[in-house]
Amino acid sequence: MNSMWDSLWVNVNLATMAGPGYGAIEDGAIAIVGGRIAWVGKRSDLPSATARETRDGNGFWMTPGLIDCHTHLVFGGERWREFALRLEGASYEEIARAGGGILATVAATRAADEESLFASAAKRLRPFLAEGVTTVEVKSGYGLDLESELKMLRVARRLGRELPVSVRTTFLGAHAVPPEYRGRQGDYVDLVVREMVPAVAAEGLADAVDAFCEGIAFTVEETERVFAAAKAAGLPVKLHADQLSDSGAAALAATYEALSADHLECTTEAGVEAMAAAGTVAVLLPGANYFLRETRRPPVELFRKHGVPMAIASNCNPGSSPALSLLLMLSMACTLFRLTPEEALAGVTCNAAKALGFDDRGVLTPGRRADLVLWDVAHPAELSYWIGGNPCREVVRSP
Ligand code: DI6
C-alpha cells in the first residue's frame, strides 16, 4: 500500500469505544485523511502507508471527542439567589410556582441582546472545550416567544461557527408557560404548535424538538401535540421525561421514536421497555440530581436489563445544573447513579452520539470524524475517577 495519510498518531493507547472493555487497543496507531479516521489498529499491524505528519502520543490514552448531548448553554442572567433559597428549604417546584425558576431566566434572556447572549454562552462553553468536548447540543426554551426563541437558536448556531465545536440545536419552546399566557396554557401550546415549530423549522435553526413533560410544565397530551408538530415539520424529538414525577413521559417519548428521553429519575419498567423497543437513548443528568439534592435515581439496572443505551450530559443551565465540566458528570454518574467508569465514558461518546442522531462520531473506527482527545491518564477509567483537574493534553477536531 502506498497511500498518503494526512497524519498518523503512534505510541498511543486507544479507547475506541467500539466494543467491550473500552474497545481498547494498547500501543495503537490511528491515521487521518481529510478529517476522517482512515486506519485504526495495533502499531505492529500498521500498513506501510506514508503520512505527511507523524505524531507521538507519549503513551497517553486517546478517546473520541466528547459529546455533551443535553445543555441549555444559552441564557441570560444566573440564579444563585435561588440556590441559597433552596439551601434554606424551598423546593425547585415551589420556586417555579412562585414565578422564579425557569421564568426568571426567561425574563433575563428576553432582555439580553444577541451579542451578550453569545458572549456569556461562549464563556461557559470554553471550559467544556478545554476538557475535550467536540460536539455539544444546545436547547432554546428561555425565550418562549417566537423572536426570543429564534434569537437563542441563532446564538447557538453562531457558537458552532465561531468556536471549535459542532453544535446541535434543539427547539424547547414547550419548556414553561410564559407569564403572558398564565392561565392560558392551551393557547401557548397552540402558539408553539402552529407558529413556533413551523417557523423554527423553516429557518433551519433546529435539529430537533424537545419538551418538558412534567407537573409544573406540560401534560402528556400537550407534549403529544408538540411532537406531532415536530414530526409534521420533519424534525426528530427528544423529551425531558419523568424528572420530578412519573407521568409516563418515557413511554410517550418512545411512541414518537424519540432520539432520547432525558432525566428519567421517576421512570418505571414499562417506560424503560418502551424505550428499548423504540431505540430511545436514556440521557442521565447527574448534575441536576446533585444540585437539586434529589434522592431518586434513574433506573440504571432496568436500562442495563433491557439494553437501553445510557448517555451522560451536563444539562448546563442556571437553575438545576450550573455545571461547567463534563468530566465531573462522569464522576457523578458513577458515584450517584452507580454507572461503571466504562459506561460513563460510553455515555459521553458513542451513546451521546446516538442521543443526537449522529452515526459519524463517538467511536474511533475508520470512516468516522477524526474528533480525537489525548489524555494524560494511565487508564481511561481515570476520566471518571478524578474530581476536578483536567488531564486533556490535545484535542483534534475534524473541520
Ligand atoms: N429540567 C431541568 O433540569 C432544566 N429544564 C428542565 O426542563 C432546568 C432549567 C432551569 O431551571 O432553568
Side-chain angles (χ1 to χ4, degrees), residues 70 72 75 79 82 92 96 100-106 139 141-142 172 174-176 210-214 216-217 240-241 243-244 263 285 288-289 292 315-321:
H70 180 136
H72 307 251
F75 57 83
R79 305 231 296 274
E82 272 179 25
Y92 182 77
I102 292 173
L103 292 186
T105 301
V106 169
K139 299 179 194 296
Y142 290 123
L172 178 57
H175 195 195
D210 194 347
F212 187 18
C213 185
E214 187 56 66
I216 56 167
H240 284 65
Q243 177 183 7
L244 307 168
H263 284 287
L285 305 166
N289 212 265
L292 298 182
N315 188 20
C316 176
N317 76 68
S320 72
S321 187

